[in-house]
Amino acid sequence: MCSTKFPETFEESAKREVYEETGLKLDQLELVSISGYINEQKREQFVYLDYFSNDFTGVS
């Protein structure tokens, strides 16, 4: 089930997903790459944004 909140930026989404999965609260994020994938047979397109952070609080 998708738990996207609207309106939500990509950065806010990344922070929320990390918190939901690990309990860690991220502060500063750095966008490190953008990539994509196209599945022509299914007529699907995906965009991936990869972030890095070593600025967090909580216990994993």
Side-chain angles (χ1 to χ4, degrees), residues 1-2 10-12 22 29 38 40 42-43 48 56 58:
M1 179 176 172
C2 182
F10 294 124
E11 188 173 301
E12 291 168 337
T22 68
L29 293 181
I38 296 174
E40 292 183 17
K42 291 185 176 183
R43 299 185 54 81
Y48 303 98
F56 57 88

Side-chain angles (χ1 to χ4, degrees), residues 2-3 5 11 16 18 20 29 32-33 36 39-40 46 55:
C2 182
S3 60
K5 310 295 184 200
E11 188 173 301
R16 177 181 49 77
V18 168
E20 289 175 358
L29 293 181
V32 293
S33 71
N39 183 332
E40 292 183 17
F46 299 91
D55 186 9

Side-chain angles (χ1 to χ4, degrees), residues 1-57:
M1 179 176 172
C2 182
S3 60
T4 301
K5 310 295 184 200
F6 182 84
E8 181 177 61
T9 67
F10 294 124
E11 188 173 301
E12 291 168 337
S13 175
K15 288 179 179 182
R16 177 181 49 77
E17 286 292 332
V18 168
Y19 180 73
E20 289 175 358
E21 296 296 325
T22 68
L24 297 174
K25 290 188 177 185
L26 301 177
D27 290 315
Q28 298 296 316
L29 293 181
E30 177 185 347
L31 180 63
V32 293
S33 71
I34 299 173
S35 58
Y37 170 75
I38 296 174
N39 183 332
E40 292 183 17
Q41 293 175 334
K42 291 185 176 183
R43 299 185 54 81
E44 297 175 330
Q45 183 173 359
F46 299 91
V47 176
Y48 303 98
L49 294 99
D50 297 315
Y51 289 96
F52 172 80
S53 178
N54 61 5
D55 186 9
F56 57 88
T57 56

